[in-house]
Amino acid sequence: MKNLQESPEPMPAPNAEPWFSLWSSLCHQGDVYTASYAAVPHIVRIALTTATPIDFSFYQLPASIEVSRKTGRGPELPADLEEAYRHAIAPLTECVSLHRHEAWDRWTFRSASAAQAVAKGHIDIAEALSNLDDDIIARIINSDFD
């Protein structure tokens, strides 16, 4: 987490460190682990205490971990991590609000929206937002549901 705190700014590429390693370790292909739940409070704390623009993964990783947890893609939330984890998910809306004046690309906007949906308990909406890509958006706009 130290590397993350030292470089919270938007990353130049999706496979840039430290996010590449964090995603690989904490939410690998949608599967999450006990360590994932332990990491969320730290990720959210860094996002809430950073005054400069942050990477979209500050929103997307906690949202993805919660979606995976709620959809059975990880272990039960351990009792010793439960309070800190739940207290980290709820302030995702504050994190989005804190960084709302920053310039957001499409990924950041979708990730921030998914984080807000997770914080408000709308797991299905968060999952849908996380899965949106330009092709799906174009199909929705064109009513192309064949």
Side-chain angles (χ1 to χ4, degrees), residues 10 54-60 63 92 96-97 99-118 125-126 128-132 134 137:
I54 60 174
D55 190 76
F56 77 90
S57 285
F58 277 102
Y59 306 115
Q60 192 63 42
L92 282 170
V96 171
S97 180
H99 294 280
R100 72 188 179 280
H101 297 296
E102 297 166 8
W104 287 354
D105 60 15
R106 295 168 73 84
W107 284 105
T108 304
F109 184 81
R110 286 191 293 237
S111 299
S113 299
Q116 293 218 70
V118 159
I125 295 171
L129 289 165
S130 296
N131 288 319
L132 283 179
D134 291 339
I137 292 169

Side-chain angles (χ1 to χ4, degrees), residues 3 14-28 61:
N3 289 344
N15 59 349
E17 293 296 343
W19 287 111
F20 182 78
S21 293
L22 287 171
W23 275 98
S24 296
S25 300
L26 301 176
C27 193
H28 184 69
L61 186 54

Side-chain angles (χ1 to χ4, degrees), residues 1 4 39-50 54 58-59 62-63 85 87-93 95 98-99:
M1 291 298 160
L4 185 59
V40 167
H42 301 287
I43 293 168
V44 174
R45 177 188 49 77
I46 293 167
L48 285 169
T49 59
T50 299
I54 60 174
F58 277 102
Y59 306 115
Y85 180 81
H87 281 80
I89 293 296
L92 282 170
T93 57
C95 183
L98 175 68
H99 294 280

Side-chain angles (χ1 to χ4, degrees), residues 74-93:
E76 292 291 321
L77 182 58
D80 62 326
L81 299 176
E82 187 171 1
E83 183 177 356
Y85 180 81
R86 293 194 191 282
H87 281 80
I89 293 296
L92 282 170
T93 57

